[in-house]
Amino acid sequence: MPLEDAIEAYGQLNSPKELWVFENQYHQQRRLSNLGGLDNYEYIFDWLHAALTGKGLSKRHSRIAYIRENGDGPWGDCEWTPTVRRGQAYF
């Protein structure tokens, strides 16, 4: 989805939330170089488990991560402030 649409949807959530932006990826779900060649499903399930069981995430948890290609993944130091805000076009 376009980044500006993702930011808009993210801003509308009133629950624990994270937005993961993968560098140099389009919409691939498998064998991501950003995740050491792993699929993203395991990471998503871990995050959902923490969010739904209340273990490790506050109800106000809000984080945007820019996950670099060949970086340290979504649990690393990758917090990011997008260059656009809700309602602005990225390109």
Side-chain angles (χ1 to χ4, degrees), residues 39-83:
D39 299 348
N40 69 2
Y41 303 115
E42 289 82 6
Y43 288 89
I44 293 169
F45 291 144
D46 285 346
W47 192 92
L48 283 171
H49 181 265
L52 295 173
T53 61
K55 297 178 180 176
L57 297 176
S58 73
K59 292 183 180 194
R60 295 186 189 137
H61 179 83
S62 177
R63 177 178 179 249
I64 298 177
Y66 185 80
I67 303 166
R68 297 196 182 282
E69 194 169 14
N70 302 311
D72 58 358
W75 311 138
D77 183 22
C78 55
E79 302 232 357
W80 182 60
T81 301
T83 57

Side-chain angles (χ1 to χ4, degrees), residues 23-38:
E23 179 181 57
N24 295 329
Q25 298 295 337
Y26 50 102
H27 202 262
Q28 179 177 328
Q29 302 293 316
R30 303 177 65 169
R31 295 184 290 281
L32 296 168
S33 58
N34 311 68
L35 301 176
L38 300 174

